[in-house]
Amino acid sequence: MVDSVTGGALAHVPFAFTLSADDTDRTKPHPDPYRTAARRLGVPVASCVAVEDSPDGTASADAAGCVVLVVPPCSRWNRGRDGSSRRAWRSPSPPCAATRGSRSPAVSPPSVPS
């Protein structure tokens, strides 16, 4: 799955490596995926920023000790006026929140006009 995503629209991006559920014994919400990624990169997990759009991913990154940027899903399917399906951005309030471990409160950026 990861290779099909990175081989398509992201084929030109020079990833150091990819990591999927097949690469760790325990998957999200356990911290193993983020700890494994930090180890492979050779950096402390506390210096990593995770961008997550799901509760399990957010819990995983937080438990590992990453700074977590929680974002809404980037797109949702909406119906156009002509009845066709199209992707459209809808920004819920708040648009995202950043947190550093469960010891710190979430910090929300200013709201984005709809």
Side-chain angles (χ1 to χ4, degrees), residues 7 24 28 60 66-67 78 99 101 104 108:
T24 59
K28 298 174 182 178
S60 174
C66 297
V67 172
N78 287 333
T99 182
S104 300
S108 296

Side-chain angles (χ1 to χ4, degrees), residues 22-95:
D22 296 333
D23 297 315
T24 59
D25 290 332
R26 297 181 299 177
T27 60
K28 298 174 182 178
H30 296 282
D32 296 0
Y34 283 101
R35 289 179 179 161
T36 300
R39 186 172 49 254
R40 286 190 187 179
L41 288 169
V43 298
V45 73
S47 69
C48 296
V49 176
V51 180
E52 277 292 347
D53 66 349
S54 72
D56 282 352
T58 300
S60 174
D62 182 56
C66 297
V67 172
V68 185
L69 178 61
V70 182
V71 298
C74 290
S75 60
R76 296 197 174 102
W77 287 103
N78 287 333
R79 291 280 174 202
R81 289 186 182 157
D82 62 356
S84 64
S85 293
R86 61 183 172 82
R87 286 192 184 260
W89 172 256
R90 287 191 292 162
S91 180
S93 181

Side-chain angles (χ1 to χ4, degrees), residues 1-13 15:
M1 176 67 173
V2 171
D3 292 335
S4 66
V5 172
T6 58
L10 300 175
H12 66 285
V13 178
F15 290 102

